[in-house]
Amino acid sequence: MCGIIGYVGHRQAHEVLLKGLKRLEYRGYDSAGIAVLNSSLKVFKKQGKVSDLEQFIQDQDVSGTTGIGHTRWATHGAPNDVNAHPHLSSDKKLAMIHNGIIENYDTLKKELEKKGHRFISETDSEVFIQFIEHIQKHNQCSLEEAVRLALTEVVGAYAIVITSKDNPDQLIAARKGSPLVIGVGEEKKEYFLASDATPIIEYTKEVVYLNDQEIAVINGDGLSIKNLDDEHQNPYIQTLDMELEAIEKGGFDHFMLKEIYEQPKSIRDCLRGRLIAANGHLALGGIHKHYQELVNANRIIIVACGTSWHAGLVAEYLIEDLTRIPVEVEYASEFRYRNPIIAPGDIVIPISQSGETADTLAAIELAKEKGAIILGVCNVVGSSIARASHEGAYIHAGPEIGVASTKAFTAQLTVLSMIALMIAREKKTISEQKYLELLYAMDAIPEKVEKSLELNAQIKYISSIYKGASNFLYLGRGYNFPVALEGALKLKEISYIHAEGYPAAEMKHGPIALIDEEMPVVVIAPHDNSYEKIISNIQEIKARKGKVIAIVNEGDAVIETMVDHVIKVPRTKEELMPLVSVIPLQLLAYYIALDRGCNVDQPRNLAKSVTVE
Ligand code: G6P
């Protein structure tokens, strides 16, 4: 939440900053601002999107080769021009951008007010920069030292970048709990700082991921990193494996649609080198030290939020079914505050697309303290959750920019299915034949997803019929119950239609009361063990005049005689059906949102990377 960017070098900073902020806009889009340094320190900020800021600065002098920028997801204070970042010190010599939350800002603010400081915004970030200013003046020390001292006193999470009028070629950055990447330009003559690597890769692939509680100082001498005890740290420069096309729309109207269409490829990428059906090979290179502990686990606990939590629910069905290891799936936010029972040797699997979700990160820390082994399932390489895990597997979905998660979900399911199958084979809880059948079935999933995407035109048509609905119900059973939850979440997130997912049989314990001719009900009804039962559920809905959109398998001739619309997706093994059945639900949400004129990639109030608790 909140995207930050900094630049120092030979280019016009504002160009790098604005371009970068657009790439980071998925992290928040309430307001945006930049500060640039030439002979003076100038701040430009505006409520709204980066494009509003861009318009605002059109006729202004924004020249300068050092600068910082911010796109905000409001926490403290309304989204307006004043609360927008960068924030200035009271002498207006320092400007700061901040992603995170300073929990003791109120105490600090009161102390500073007693000392004569005045604040113009309602933000914790303005308190933060004035606190640094106060320390620098009081101790007569360098800015770097003032930042270090301030960081030993602030409580909370931050990724910050500070620029100073007195040192126009210098940027000081620090992080704790919120991400920060430093791009090292050619010949180390220019540097880029950002919340993630997407604004950087256009210029350089050499990056340093700043660790928690580290301070980076960039100036004419290059980059130096120290910890909070003032000890030098060796920057570890990594080369990014990411192409620019991966973060552009590539001819699609929206990132979400592009990402939906990328799924055959992202699933293939996820399987590549890991699964070779023809010789029964299945291995995840990232899980080897703790492989035996995973296989022999007494219990697996999955912690996640949002769509990743839904992937976790599917994994619960999969792992319990195939391996007989008990699995618990927890909302990370609940897990961390309820004193959970974790025995040493329990395996905790955090699932996170961004790898930065604050609640999931905190749940990991708690589980680690209690002796659990953490096997992370993340998309963003080098992210905080990936680094906080003992081992893990990347899902290799490539950058996901649309706020509503799509390709990350299917890639998460792919990795989780592989984990379940690896354990099951090792434990011999499934026969070799079943193992091989499932391997072949997984191998064929990208093709089945491709076929499901061919339903685009039909789904677009169905969406146009139901775009005016005020409520939607999504029903599924077994493996497809979490898919119902995910379908409802997608619709809520981007179209603002109230939608709920339910296990189909639970409908009669409440939601059935809502059904009338106005209520569209999406029923996921593939040919599996629950098929007959779900037909009864469909009849219950039709008896009450509900409108049914059924997701069925190709060849199904029964359900179409009962319902208003059938969407026929290819058949696969029951265990893998969510990988296919979710596709039409993603498209349905997309087209309904589009028909309603919603901003599909940047839905109101949401952010993609939730770095606040
Ligand atoms: C936010 C996003 C969701 C995402 C959830 C968990 O709510 O809008 O799309 O599923 O966070 O994020 P993570 O990055 O941990 O998977």
Side-chain angles (χ1 to χ4, degrees), residues 18 21-22 25 28-33 44-56 70-74 78-85 599 602:
L18 287 173
L21 287 179
K22 284 191 184 155
E25 224 172 2
Y29 28 83
D30 294 336
S31 61
F44 307 88
K45 45 194 200 174
K46 206 73 205 133
Q47 179 180 348
K49 310 238 167 191
V50 179
S51 52
D52 298 310
L53 172 70
E54 208 168 22
Q55 248 184 347
F56 174 63
H70 187 273
T71 176
R72 179 168 186 247
W73 188 87
N80 56 30
D81 293 358
V82 177
N83 289 332
H85 295 222
N599 185 338
Q602 294 174 348

Side-chain angles (χ1 to χ4, degrees), residues 395-457:
I395 62 170
H396 296 308
E400 191 183 64
I401 294 167
V403 165
S405 184
T406 52
K407 64 173 178 173
F409 178 72
T410 46
Q412 286 164 345
L413 293 187
T414 307
V415 163
L416 293 162
S417 308
M418 286 194 272
I419 291 178
L421 274 168
M422 277 163 49
I423 306 174
R425 187 192 208 187
E426 190 83 24
K427 286 183 73 135
K428 300 196 172 22
T429 42
I430 57 172
S431 67
E432 189 64 9
Q433 189 187 339
K434 180 158 187 187
Y435 169 79
L436 287 173
E437 280 171 13
L438 279 163
L439 240 52
Y440 275 103
M442 283 194 71
D443 209 25
I445 289 292
E447 245 170 72
K448 301 194 180 213
V449 171
E450 239 152 49
K451 280 204 84 184
S452 309
L453 290 168
E454 286 168 14
L455 300 164
N456 184 58

Side-chain angles (χ1 to χ4, degrees), residues 305-309 351-357 360 385 400 403-405 412 489-490 493 606-610:
C305 305
T307 289
S308 300
W309 183 75
I351 308 173
S352 175
Q353 186 287 127
S354 63
E356 301 295 345
T357 303
T360 311
I385 292 174
E400 191 183 64
V403 165
S405 184
Q412 286 164 345
L489 177 64
K490 285 293 85 87
E493 281 179 312
L606 297 179
K608 188 151 189 73
S609 184
V610 183

Side-chain angles (χ1 to χ4, degrees), residues 48 56 66 94 135 150 181 183 192 220 270 314 322 334 357 455 564 585 589-590:
F56 174 63
T66 303
L94 305 176
I135 292 179
V181 192
F192 306 81
C270 184
V314 177
L322 300 181
E334 288 299 311
T357 303
L455 300 164
D564 301 84
L585 306 190
Y590 172 78

